[in-house]
Amino acid sequence: MALARSVLGIELGETGVRAALVDTFGNIRACAEAAAGPGRADVLPLLEPALRRLWDEGGVGPGHVLYTVLVSDHCLTQLQQRRGLARVAVIRLAAPAGTAIPPLTDWPPDLVAALGGAAFELTGGYELDGTTIGPPPDAGAVSGLAAEIQARGLEAAAITGVFSPVHPDQELHLGTALRERLGAAFPVALSHRLGSVGLLERENSTALNAALTQAGPAVAEGARAALAAAGVGGPVYMAQNDGTIMALDAAARFPLLTARSASGHGLRGAAHLAGVADGLVVLCMHDRMEVGLVHGGYPRESQRPRVLAGVRVNMSEPDLMEIPCRPEPGAPLPPEVLERVELALDRVRGRPDPMPVVAAGPRAGGLPERLRRSTRIRRPAAAAFSVPVGAALAPVGGRADLAYSLGRWTREGARADAVRKAVDQAVAAGAAPETTQVVGLDEVPLSYLWGNTLRISVRVVGQPAVPGRIHRTAT
Amino acid sequence: MIHLDDQGIRDLQLGAAVLGGGGGGDPYWMTLAAREAARRWGPVPLLAPHTLADDALVIPVAGMGAPTIIQEKLPGWAPLVAVVRRLEQQLGRRADAVMPVIAGGVVCLTAVAAAAAAGLPLVDADGAGRAVSELQMVSLSAYGVRGCPFVVANERGDTTIIEAVDDLALERLARAITYRFGGFSYVAGYPLTGRQLKETAVLYTISFARRLGEQLRAAGTDAAAVLAALTAVTANSTYGACHVLAEGRVTAVERHTDQMPPHGSAVIQNQYGRMVQLHFQNEFLVAEAEGRTMASVPDLITVLDTETLQPVQAEGIAYGQSVLAVAIPIPGIMRTPEVLRFLGPRYFGHDIDYRPVELLAAAAQEG
C-alpha cells in the first residue's frame, strides 16, 4: 500500500534519540528510539540507528519524509555546562536610563566569565512614544566600540535598546554599522527578535543567544549531515520553545528560541495522542514532572519571566509547573509527588471545571490511573513519543509582543501593525504566506496610565512552505 | 547604627513585598539598583528617627507610574539624585536624610537606591507602614505636612516642580506629568523636619521590613516556621502580632479589568470548607467570612504562596494557588480619623466602618 508522505519528528535528548513519523492527517505511522548509554555526550550518532528502526517498524523509508522537525536540547546543555560559548559584547542602548542596573546583573559569576564579561552601556533607546532617551551612538562611538570588540577578542555582539520591540531602528542601525566595521559575517543578535517588553530579561536572552553563535549553527549542520547520511531529504525545521517550529537556517541564527523546546512540543503531542484539543498534560521526564495546559491544540504560555541556565529570560515558553523528582523506571511515583502533581494540575487548570488529564513522557507509567481529586488519567499509546509527535504536528510560528502609545496610534492601526510584524516573523521562519493565521491576540492596557497605552501580543502560525505539502488545519 | 548592606537590601526586598499587602509592585528591579548602589557607594546607614535633630531636613522619595515601563526603561542614577538635589535647591538647604514615601513595594527600594546615590542616610520610617496607591494617602498628609514643593524627574533629565493647592491636586498633576515623562517618574516631596517626622511619620518600618525579610528567609519553605517567624517579628514590633485569616486554596478569583485601578476579589477555602473572601483594588483591602469582616484597610492584609512562601500580588493571585493570608495590625498612627478619611474601607467603596483587626479577631472568638 502506498503511504502518504509524512513528517518526521526527531527528539535529540540527553537520554537518546526518539523519532516519530506522522502523516499529514495526524496519524502516527511509526515510532522508534535509540537510547544513549551512560555518560554519552553526543546523541547525534544515535540518529541513524533510530531511523533504521523507524523504517523497519513502519515498513517505510526516507522517501516518505516530506520534511523533518528536530527537537534538540544541545544548546541548553551548552549553556548549563558553560561549554562552547562565544565571548559576547553585551551592548545596551539606554543611557542615561538603565545605568543603575548594568548588563549581566544578577547572573551566575561563572556564566559571566564564560561570556567574557564585556558590557557596553551606550546612550540611546526610546520612550514608549518614540522620543529618544539619549542620542544614539555616532560614527566615532561605533568605531570605538568596534575597535574594542576586536581588541578584546569578542566573538559576537548582543544589542538591546529600550523599547526596541516597538522602535527597533536603533538596534538595526547599530547592528549594520558594527558589521560594516567587523565584517558582514560577524554575529550580531538584536533583542527585538528575541524577547518582549522587559529590558533586562530581553537583554539576557539576547546575550545568551549570541553566546550560542557557534553552538547553534553546529547543531543545525550536524543534524543536516546526519539526516543526509541516513538518506533523509527535504526541508528541515527546528522546534521552537513556544510549541511552533522554524526553518533550520533561521534557527541557526536564533538558537535560544529553540534551546528549551521539548516541553511545549511534548504538551502538544500528548494532547494529540490522547485525542483532546483542550486538556491538562503531565509530562513525566527522567528528573522532573512538568504540568501544563493545552488549549485548542496549543500549549498555554507563561506570562512570567523564567530562569534559563541561572539567568532570567522572557522568551515565549509554555506555562509549566515543575516538580523535581527522579522516578525509577517502571516504579509508581511516591505519594508526596502525586500530591504535588495534583496541586499543580489544579493551579494550571485555573478554574473548577473538570478537564481531561493526559500523562506522557518516558516515565508516564509511574502515574496511577486515577488521582484523588482528578478525573481518570489518560495514558495514550506511544506516550513516550509525545515530543517528536508534537514537533511533527507543529505549525511554523511567528509572534509580536508590543506596546503602543495611543496618542500616536489608533487601536485598529496598532493591532494591524502587531499582526503584520507577527506574520512577517512567521514567513521568515518558513511559513507559506498564504497559510498564515492569527491564533492569539491579547490587548492589555498598562496600569496607572488611564488606558492611553496598550500592550498587544499576537501569535501567528502557518504551514511549512514545503513543496507537495498537504493543507491541514493546525491541531 | 544599622547599615543596609547587600544581604540587608535583599531581606528588605522580601519585607517590602510583604508590606505591599498585594500591591506596591514587584521590587525585583529596584532591588537590583539598590544593591548596585550599595556596591558602588557602600552600605546605606539606617538612621533611627529619635536620633534626628528637630530641625534636620528629611526628603521623602518615591517612584510613580506603570511598573511595565520601569521594567523596560530600567532605572538610571541621574533622576534618583536629581529629585533630591532639585528639592534641596528649591528649599535652599541641604537634606540630612532621605526616607521612602511608603515602605511597601518598589518605593521602599527606590529610596534606598536614592539615598546611596545622593550620599545620604535613610531614615527608619515612612509615610504609611504599607503600600498605598496615591500620593495623598500618607500619614504625612493627614497630619499637616504639605506634599509641595514636589519634584518629578525622569531619566532623560527632565525635571519639574509642582506647587499644587492641596495634596489631592498634587496627586493628579504628578500622575499626568509622569505620563508625559514616559510613564514612570522619580519623585521627591513632603519635605519635613526631624520634629515633623517624629510626629507624623510611621516609625521604625524599614528595620521592621528588613527583619521580616530576614526571618522569613531563615524560615525557608516550611509553612509552620514561616508563620512562627511572621508572628514573632510582628509581635515584637510597632505593628502587633499578625492574625491568620485563611490557610487554604484559592477557589475563585474575580477581576474587573475594565476599571482603573483593576479591582476584584479572591476566595480562599481551607480544608474544612471554610471560605474567606479578600477584596482588592491594587492592594488587598477587606477580608470577610460568612458576612463578617475579619480585617480591613488600613490594617495590612498580606498573602503568601505556601509553595514558594513568597508574597502574592493581588494582580497575580490565581485559582488553585495554595496560600496563607494574614492580617498585620497597622501602627496606631495610621488608625486615626485623619487617616481613615482617605484610607478607611469607606474610601474604597466598602460600606463598613474600620475596626482594628485584633478587636475583630477577639469578637469572632467570642462568637
Side-chain angles (χ1 to χ4, degrees):
Chain A
M1 182 181 76
L3 284 168
R5 298 240 283 166
S6 300
V7 183
L8 175 60
I10 299 174
E11 178 188 14
L12 303 166
E14 60 173 326
T15 58
V17 174
R18 288 195 176 82
L21 197 66
V22 182
D23 74 19
T24 44
F25 302 103
N27 303 310
I28 317 299
R29 289 295 172 195
C31 297
E33 68 178 310
R40 181 186 269 276
D42 182 13
V43 293
L44 216 45
L46 296 174
L47 182 64
E48 203 271 323
L51 289 181
R52 205 164 350 102
R53 268 171 227 164
L54 189 75
W55 311 145
D56 290 349
E57 206 156 288
V60 290
H64 290 102
V65 176
L66 190 58
Y67 65 94
T68 302
V69 182
L70 291 165
V71 183
S72 167
D73 62 0
H74 178 72
C75 286
L76 179 62
T77 308
Q78 298 292 94
L79 288 171
Q80 284 169 338
Q81 299 181 349
R82 284 71 162 129
R83 278 192 298 135
L85 303 180
R87 290 161 53 78
V88 178
V90 184
I91 302 162
R92 182 190 290 176
L93 294 162
T99 52
I101 307 177
L104 305 173
T105 292
D106 211 21
W107 278 47
D110 61 338
L111 189 56
V112 173
L115 266 69
F120 301 88
E121 291 180 73
L122 307 184
T123 60
Y126 289 98
E127 302 282 1
L128 176 55
D129 68 3
T131 314
T132 50
I133 295 174
D138 58 20
V142 176
S143 295
L145 175 64
E148 193 166 346
I149 287 172
Q150 268 176 331
R152 293 172 72 168
L154 303 173
E155 299 156 292
I159 304 173
T160 308
V162 179
F163 277 117
S164 68
V166 193
H167 308 288
D169 52 301
Q170 285 186 3
E171 282 187 3
L172 291 164
H173 282 146
L174 182 58
T176 306
L178 278 181
R179 282 195 163 126
E180 279 167 8
R181 290 161 175 83
L182 296 168
F186 191 81
V188 176
L190 305 179
S191 82
H192 68 273
R193 285 290 285 111
L194 281 148
S196 56
V197 175
L199 185 126
L200 192 64
E201 291 76 7
R202 188 172 74 252
E203 178 179 78
N204 291 348
S205 304
T206 312
L208 293 179
N209 191 76
L212 294 168
T213 288
Q214 289 116 25
V219 170
E221 277 323 301
R224 208 194 297 274
L227 285 170
V232 178
V236 183
Y237 286 79
M238 287 284 285
Q240 295 199 69
N241 306 334
D242 68 356
T244 64
I245 62 176
M246 78 197 299
L248 194 63
D249 291 336
R253 285 190 294 130
F254 303 109
L256 195 75
L257 299 182
T258 63
R260 189 158 60 184
S261 59
S263 303
H265 291 269
L267 292 180
R268 167 197 299 282
H272 178 82
L273 287 169
V276 300
D278 300 289
L280 296 156
V281 176
V282 185
L283 287 177
C284 309
M285 315 306 277
H286 297 275
D287 56 352
R288 65 192 184 281
M289 316 287 279
E290 294 179 342
V291 179
L293 184 142
V294 175
H295 180 66
Y298 291 91
R300 187 181 64 192
E301 298 203 341
S302 172
Q303 305 298 317
R304 300 159 291 142
R306 295 189 62 206
V307 173
L308 190 147
V311 173
R312 276 167 66 116
V313 294
N314 68 354
M315 55 189 184
S316 307
E317 293 190 80
D319 189 7
L320 290 175
M321 300 248 343
E322 288 187 30
I323 301 152
C325 66
R326 284 198 171 273
E328 291 298 315
L333 288 160
E336 62 270 20
V337 171
L338 292 180
E339 175 66 23
R340 293 190 64 193
V341 167
E342 203 151 7
L343 285 172
L345 283 168
D346 243 18
R347 270 297 294 282
V348 171
R349 181 166 50 203
R351 56 199 162 94
D353 326 322
M355 277 185 109
V357 179
V358 182
R363 296 283 186 268
L367 277 178
E369 278 191 15
R370 253 174 212 290
L371 289 172
R372 222 156 23 93
R373 282 191 297 268
S374 311
T375 47
R376 188 174 60 84
I377 295 184
R378 303 171 194 219
R379 212 158 22 211
F385 293 89
S386 58
V387 174
V389 166
L393 291 163
V396 179
R399 56 198 315 125
D401 184 357
L402 301 167
Y404 292 89
S405 175
L406 293 183
R408 290 167 63 99
W409 293 85
T410 63
R411 212 184 180 89
E412 292 69 31
R415 202 179 294 153
D417 182 71
V419 168
R420 188 175 51 75
K421 285 181 168 136
V423 167
D424 287 350
Q425 268 209 23
V427 171
E434 70 279 12
T435 66
T436 56
Q437 53 170 320
V438 175
V439 291
L441 197 155
D442 290 319
E443 291 181 356
V444 188
L446 296 195
S447 50
Y448 306 106
L449 286 176
W450 309 291
N452 283 326
T453 305
L454 208 56
R455 186 164 174 171
I456 305 181
S457 44
V458 184
R459 291 184 301 141
V460 164
V461 298
Q463 293 305 314
V466 172
R469 161 181 47 87
I470 299 163
H471 279 275
R472 70 174 143 77
T473 50
T475 15
Chain B
M1 189 196 301
I2 302 173
H3 282 76
L4 292 170
D5 58 7
D6 190 72
Q7 187 59 53
I9 293 168
R10 290 152 67 119
D11 291 338
L12 190 56
Q13 172 185 6
L14 182 52
V18 172
L19 292 192
D26 180 350
Y28 172 74
W29 297 272
M30 208 55 86
T31 301
L32 294 180
R35 290 171 60 195
E36 178 69 17
R39 201 181 63 77
R40 284 187 179 213
W41 294 294
V44 180
L46 191 60
L47 278 187
H50 70 266
T51 64
L52 272 178
D54 278 357
D55 64 349
L57 172 64
V58 177
I59 292 186
V61 301
M64 75 186 289
T68 311
I69 299 283
I70 196 63
Q71 288 165 28
E72 175 65 27
K73 197 173 67 168
L74 298 175
W77 298 123
L80 286 164
V81 179
V83 287
V84 177
R85 297 291 172 245
R86 187 66 188 85
L87 195 52
E88 284 178 333
Q89 191 188 344
Q90 188 71 15
L91 298 167
R93 62 176 288 200
R94 301 305 295 251
D96 297 287
V98 162
M99 94 175 193
V101 173
I102 56 174
V106 178
V107 168
C108 185
L109 282 304
T110 308
V112 176
L120 290 168
L122 190 75
V123 183
D124 188 358
D126 77 306
R130 51 169 293 141
V132 296
S133 340
E134 294 175 15
L135 280 172
Q136 80 285 2
M137 296 177 173
V138 288
S139 62
L140 315 177
S141 185
Y143 301 118
V145 177
R146 290 284 322 278
C148 297
F150 192 92
V151 180
V152 186
N154 68 6
E155 281 84 1
R156 299 180 67 227
D158 304 316
T159 55
T160 190
I161 297 242
I162 301 175
E163 289 284 4
V165 291
D166 58 36
D167 295 341
L168 197 60
L170 163 65
E171 156 67 30
R172 286 203 302 268
L173 290 168
R175 209 161 288 276
I177 291 165
T178 292
Y179 176 66
R180 286 292 165 206
F181 270 25
F184 190 91
S185 65
Y186 301 84
V187 301
Y190 291 106
L192 71 178
T193 64
R195 176 167 179 177
Q196 283 177 307
L197 186 146
K198 285 175 264 186
E199 288 172 353
T200 67
V202 191
L203 306 181
Y204 302 103
T205 49
I206 311 306
S207 54
F208 171 72
R210 189 202 61 80
R211 198 162 60 249
L212 202 52
E214 174 192 69
Q215 294 301 315
L216 286 178
R217 197 180 299 279
T221 54
D222 177 66
V226 163
L227 186 55
L230 265 176
T231 307
V233 176
T234 51
N236 294 302
S237 75
T238 55
Y239 285 73
C242 66
H243 296 265
V244 174
L245 299 172
E247 184 171 6
R249 284 151 40 76
V250 179
T251 53
V253 179
E254 203 181 320
R255 266 178 234 287
H256 310 286
T257 48
D258 51 331
Q259 286 153 313
M260 274 296 166
H263 57 268
S265 67
V267 174
I268 303 168
Q269 190 169 357
N270 75 4
Q271 55 179 322
Y272 310 110
R274 184 165 186 267
M275 290 192 277
V276 171
Q277 188 169 24
L278 302 183
H279 299 274
F280 57 82
Q281 179 176 319
N282 287 326
E283 301 92 37
F284 295 111
L285 299 176
V286 175
E288 60 181 7
E290 291 143 11
R292 290 174 72 153
T293 305
M294 298 179 76
S296 82
V297 273
D299 286 328
L300 185 63
I301 298 169
T302 203
V303 176
L304 300 175
D305 182 319
T306 50
E307 293 251 318
T308 62
L309 292 165
Q310 292 294 309
V312 176
Q313 298 263 304
E315 66 179 6
I317 195 165
Y319 175 90
Q321 247 171 340
S322 299
V323 296
L324 169 66
V326 298
I328 302 175
I330 201 79
I333 193 170
M334 289 294 288
R335 292 174 155 186
T336 63
E338 290 90 332
V339 171
L340 293 175
R341 197 165 43 83
F342 56 77
L343 205 58
R346 288 192 191 282
Y347 184 87
F348 300 97
H350 291 270
D351 192 20
I352 49 171
D353 287 317
Y354 168 72
R355 292 189 69 201
V357 57
E358 60 275 19
L359 297 186
L360 291 169
Q365 273 198 334
E366 282 162 19

